[in-house]
Amino acid sequence: PKVVFILGGPGAGKGTQCAKIVENFGWCHLSAGDLLREERKSGSANADLINTYIKEGKIVPVEITVRLLMNAMEKSETKKFLIDGFPRSVDNYEGWVSVVKDDVDVLFCLFYECPEEELERRLLDRGQSSGRDDDNIESIRKRFKTFVAETMPVVEVFKAGGQLRHISSAQAVDAVWAETSALFAGL
């Protein structure tokens, strides 16, 4: 299987662009956050633990997230995966590498960069209709803090390894898509 990791701050447009990649290029979109939210509702042994981490704006233990991702990949018809919102920390990245090893070909990490003020505005707008309990100002600020502290070091790991592709998502959706689609043409 082929994997492209999709990273960016909360509200950077990861879900929007992933939907376009799926529609135009036939990749399977796996959102670590969506898989965790589904697991929370399942009433499984991990549901309470996941609930606590998400409410606190913290990163869920890597073993849980990697297991959910691998299960979803095994169920999929396609073998090209966009993994959205993962790895969220260096620990996530190292956990992925130790569990998955060479079973998956990671092509690159696509990082959508957007100023914090714009992300906050987008999330507050989204919160009015999303029904997500983490789209409120307190959770948003905790998520930003976690993103800067935990996820930006992972972005640097991919950059150092020559595996980072970077797009500004502060521009119009169509402009972001033009840059994004260019990366996926021919993969």
Side-chain angles (χ1 to χ4, degrees):
K2 292 180 174 159
V3 164
V4 171
F5 291 120
I6 309 288
L7 294 177
K14 298 179 297 291
T16 300
Q17 295 299 320
C18 285
K20 289 175 168 289
I21 297 164
V22 168
E23 184 184 329
N24 290 276
F25 297 105
W27 286 61
C28 176
H29 175 213
L30 299 177
S31 161
D34 287 350
L35 290 170
L36 288 165
R37 281 185 283 276
E38 281 170 28
E39 190 72 9
R40 282 169 79 182
K41 292 177 193 156
S42 74
S44 75
N46 291 324
D48 286 342
L49 181 71
I50 293 168
N51 273 324
T52 303
Y53 276 90
I54 289 179
K55 280 196 179 107
E56 291 297 314
K58 293 181 181 164
I59 294 171
V60 173
V62 64
E63 299 78 19
I64 294 173
T65 310
V66 171
R67 190 169 61 245
L68 293 173
L69 288 166
M70 294 306 290
N71 289 346
M73 288 169 73
E74 284 165 18
K75 291 177 192 164
S76 174
E77 307 263 316
T78 179
K79 294 298 164 209
K80 297 190 297 188
F81 300 95
L82 304 168
I83 299 184
D84 164 5
F86 184 90
R88 300 268 303 272
S89 65
V90 173
D91 177 61
N92 272 185
Y93 176 73
E94 290 169 351
W96 168 270
V97 170
S98 75
V99 171
V100 176
K101 299 182 178 55
D102 294 330
D103 295 347
V104 170
D105 182 16
V106 176
L107 302 181
F108 55 87
C109 173
L110 175 51
F111 176 55
Y112 290 109
E113 189 167 40
C114 193
E116 192 171 316
E117 311 72 55
E118 174 63 12
L119 295 176
E120 189 173 298
R121 186 191 64 73
R122 290 178 183 182
L123 289 173
L124 289 171
D125 286 351
R126 182 174 83 182
Q128 294 173 0
S129 60
S130 71
R132 281 181 50 171
D133 57 7
D134 59 350
D135 279 348
N136 63 70
I137 197 68
E138 296 79 25
S139 288
I140 289 168
R141 293 206 170 128
K142 282 182 189 170
R143 287 159 66 199
F144 285 146
K145 208 170 162 184
T146 300
F147 176 75
V148 171
E150 302 277 347
T151 307
M152 286 311 292
V154 181
V155 171
E156 292 304 317
V157 168
F158 284 110
K159 188 176 182 179
Q163 283 191 298
L164 187 70
R165 307 295 179 270
H166 176 272
I167 294 175
S168 166
S169 65
Q171 54 190 337
V173 173
D174 290 346
V176 176
W177 173 242
E179 290 187 46
T180 300
S181 62
L183 291 175
F184 285 87
L187 288 183

